[in-house]
């Protein structure tokens, strides 16, 4: 039995894209005709966090590659603010940085060197959709990184007041 969840997407700019997620093994692959080979992998032996599609947010237990070139992936701690759910990628392939940061309960914005490219939504099971910003002109690397981050870490976060209330209630009980 194939452990991957295949989530085909028809991207408005890049055509057919596959986001393949194996939550148990901690592997996500993004592929498409014009996209670079992209993979996010959880290290063997890392504790499995069931609420994170790739299984961890610990940068020490994650590896990412674009066209077989390793790139650093750095998820933030994910605690009280939406911004704390951001994920940064420093790309040695293009010399740019990408950031995926929540903007609503279900969606996150993809930034390239601080410039917005589009908004992604992921259900946490490998299904990812994107709405590219009209004047952003993303390239294939941008798309591959966006799909990989959204598929690996999910998108969106609760508002700060809700996250703060939840944290307070956890400490009280």
């Amino acid at each position: 039995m194939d452990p991957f969840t295949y989530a085909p997407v028809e991207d408005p700019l890049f055509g057919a894209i596959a986001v393949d997620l194996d939550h148990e093994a901690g592997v996500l692959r993004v592929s498409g005709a014009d996209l670079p080979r992209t993979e996010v992998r959880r290290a063997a032996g890392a504790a499995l966090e069931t609420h994170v599609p790739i299984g961890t947010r610990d940068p020490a237990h994650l590896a990412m590659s674009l066209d077989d070139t390793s790139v650093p992936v750095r998820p933030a701690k994910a605690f009280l603010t939406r911004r704390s759910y951001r994920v940064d990628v420093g790309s040695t392939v293009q010399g740019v940085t990408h950031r995926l940061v929540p903007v609503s309960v279900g969606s996150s914005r993809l930034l390239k060197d601080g410039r917005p490219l589009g908004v992604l939504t992921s259900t946490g099971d490998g299904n990812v959709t994107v709405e590219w910003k009209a004047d952003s002109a993303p390239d294939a690397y941008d798309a591959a990184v966006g799909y990989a981050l959204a598929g690996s870490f999910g998108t969106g976060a609760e508002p700060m007041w809700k996250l703060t209330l939840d944290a307070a209630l956890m400490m009280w009980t």
Side-chain angles (χ1 to χ4, degrees), residues 106-132:
S107 298
S108 293
R109 179 173 290 118
L110 180 64
L111 305 167
K112 177 180 183 177
D113 288 336
R115 197 180 83 244
L117 296 177
V119 175
L120 293 98
T121 304
S122 177
T123 57
D125 60 358
N127 288 297
V128 178
T129 59
V130 65
E131 186 174 318
W132 298 112

Side-chain angles (χ1 to χ4, degrees), residues 3-5 20-28 42 48-56 124-125 151-152:
F4 282 94
T5 301
D20 307 326
L21 173 65
D22 182 341
H23 174 73
E24 293 300 317
V27 178
L28 179 126
R42 182 182 74 240
L48 178 64
E49 297 175 32
T50 58
H51 62 282
V52 180
I54 197 69
T56 187
D125 60 358
S152 295

Side-chain angles (χ1 to χ4, degrees), residues 29-171:
R29 294 183 185 118
V30 175
S31 58
D34 296 323
L35 268 58
R37 290 177 310 283
T38 307
E39 183 176 278
V40 178
R41 182 175 293 276
R42 182 182 74 240
L48 178 64
E49 297 175 32
T50 58
H51 62 282
V52 180
I54 197 69
T56 187
R57 291 186 63 87
D58 183 348
H61 292 105
L62 290 165
M64 183 173 177
S65 64
L66 288 163
D67 269 345
D68 299 322
T69 300
S70 179
V71 293
V73 58
R74 296 176 306 277
K77 295 288 184 198
F79 187 55
L80 286 179
T81 65
R82 281 187 176 154
R83 184 174 163 84
S84 74
Y85 284 81
R86 73 188 177 281
V87 182
D88 293 322
V89 172
S91 173
T92 57
V93 176
Q94 289 188 310
V96 299
T97 59
H98 288 89
R99 173 174 280 178
L100 186 71
V101 63
V103 292
S104 70
V105 171
S107 298
S108 293
R109 179 173 290 118
L110 180 64
L111 305 167
K112 177 180 183 177
D113 288 336
R115 197 180 83 244
L117 296 177
V119 175
L120 293 98
T121 304
S122 177
T123 57
D125 60 358
N127 288 297
V128 178
T129 59
V130 65
E131 186 174 318
W132 298 112
K133 192 170 181 269
D135 59 349
S136 66
D139 63 26
Y141 279 90
D142 301 328
V145 168
Y147 279 97
L149 295 181
S152 295
F153 301 101
T155 56
E158 297 286 345
M160 185 174 168
W161 67 267
K162 173 101 170 53
L163 294 169
T164 304
L165 178 63
D166 289 347
L169 290 173
M170 282 190 337
M171 290 183 346

